[in-house]
Amino acid sequence: MILTVTLNTALDITYRVRSLRPHASHRVSEVTERPGGKGVNVARVLAALGHAVTLTGFAGGPTGQVLREALAGAPGPVDALVAISGATRRTIAVVDELTGDTTQLNEPGPQITPGEWGAFLDRYEELLAGASAVALCGSLPPGVPVGAYANLVRTARTAGVPVLLDTSGEPLRRGVAARPDIIKPNADELAELTGSHEPLRATQDARRRGAHAVVASLGPAGLLAATPEGRWHAVPPVHELGNPTGAGDSAVAGLLSGLLDQLPWPDRLTRAVALSAATVRFPTAGDFDLAAYEKLLARVSVTAA
């Protein structure tokens, strides 16, 4: 079983409009609503690839109830979320059909009490006992200690479970020092962590700070990986147009899937890039175009960096 952790789950709401213009009223052509948050998206993609997945984190209030009912009503990840008194946040994505661009509005998340954080830690340790890998994903809601991910990384390492960390800012800086097996920042997050805007140098610096392997997302330019086995750059065959929301989460799913399948690093990166590109083609995060993914697998370019 793969365990994904989303401390700041969300109900993702996507509006599609003909053309998004500031200071104007818009007629919405389509609305979709689904469980979200980075780790939830990762879990959904892993389940679609055939892996057994359990997701945990927090859910509460009317929004959290809708989220959990949606999880229960569809095949896929097992819900092991911890109930809280606060209300799960919402994220709003507005897709401009004319340009394909997406505008994202993210609420901060509910206040987590010390008792709720303690209940999560107990649940996390229980779930780790049956996990083959764990992904720690996304932002921290208010009330969760800034060093939370560092604590969760150390707990996973003590349990002998490989751990991937995908977050940003101070939680990433502290989490890297706990020596996760993989981190997956984007270019801006990596630059903030290391102070370097040259991606290859930054990935190497992030490894020196504690990460066993660093896979940096470079947007349309693919993934850059620095690992103990070598350095590679994986690039999709074309720049995909569509909704990029969730593309990085699909890359995380690909990396975890490749880890469990014991693929060499170039093949893991190929899977991650193909999944990411196939996700851009899909209108909602956490899903991907299966036919596109299978075609892209043979067309991703991986070179030594």
Side-chain angles (χ1 to χ4, degrees):
M1 176 267 287
I2 302 174
L3 177 63
T4 72
V5 173
T6 313
L7 297 176
N8 213 4
T9 56
L11 186 66
D12 286 346
I13 302 168
T14 302
Y15 295 124
R16 299 184 70 85
V17 300
R18 173 62 180 166
S19 176
L20 182 62
R21 292 169 290 117
H23 316 299
S25 297
H26 297 78
R27 186 175 298 277
V28 176
S29 61
E30 182 183 351
V31 181
T32 57
E33 186 177 272
R34 64 185 312 163
K38 293 180 72 65
V40 176
N41 295 335
V42 171
R44 190 181 292 117
V45 173
L46 284 168
L49 291 173
H51 294 280
V53 190
T54 296
L55 62 88
T56 190
F58 297 110
T63 311
Q65 183 64 28
V66 172
L67 183 151
R68 300 191 80 165
E69 288 173 355
L71 288 172
V78 174
D79 175 359
L81 295 166
V82 174
I84 57 172
S85 59
T88 296
R89 68 187 177 128
R90 296 161 299 177
T91 67
I92 310 296
V94 183
V95 179
D96 184 319
E97 295 177 335
L98 194 61
T99 65
D101 293 336
T102 300
T103 299
Q104 192 82 16
L105 304 173
N106 297 330
E107 295 179 358
Q111 182 75 30
I112 305 301
T113 68
E116 290 165 347
W117 177 238
F120 168 79
L121 291 176
D122 291 341
R123 177 74 55 85
Y124 179 68
E125 290 194 28
E126 292 170 3
L127 292 169
L128 277 178
S132 53
V134 59
L136 308 174
C137 303
S139 61
L140 301 179
V144 172
V146 70
Y149 281 135
N151 183 17
L152 299 181
V153 169
R154 285 190 291 266
T155 302
R157 288 180 58 82
T158 298
V161 179
V163 56
L164 183 152
L165 177 62
D166 183 13
T167 188
S168 61
E170 186 65 12
L172 175 59
R173 188 184 71 80
R174 297 197 186 194
V176 165
R179 306 187 66 80
D181 294 272
I182 306 171
I183 63 169
K184 208 279 314 158
N186 62 33
D188 290 339
E189 292 163 351
L190 185 62
E192 183 182 7
L193 173 67
T194 64
S196 174
H197 290 272
E198 200 291 302
L200 184 57
R201 181 181 303 165
T203 55
Q204 294 169 312
D205 182 65
R207 286 200 65 218
R208 286 191 292 269
R209 290 168 184 258
H212 189 67
V214 179
V215 181
S217 175
L218 306 180
L223 297 175
L224 180 66
T227 80
E229 289 77 30
R231 300 189 299 270
W232 292 275
H233 185 197
V235 183
V238 294
H239 174 30
E240 299 286 352
L241 297 177
N243 181 7
T245 307
D249 304 330
S250 290
V252 168
L255 293 172
L256 285 172
S257 176
L259 170 68
L260 292 187
D261 289 345
Q262 299 182 324
L263 298 180
W265 269 104
D267 292 342
R268 296 188 206 181
L269 296 171
T270 295
R271 182 176 293 184
V273 167
L275 278 171
S276 181
T279 297
V280 173
R281 295 190 183 187
F282 218 85
T284 53
D287 281 316
F288 60 94
D289 185 318
L290 179 59
Y293 165 63
E294 292 173 345
K295 291 178 181 178
L296 285 162
L297 279 172
R299 300 177 61 202
V300 173
S301 171
V302 183
T303 57

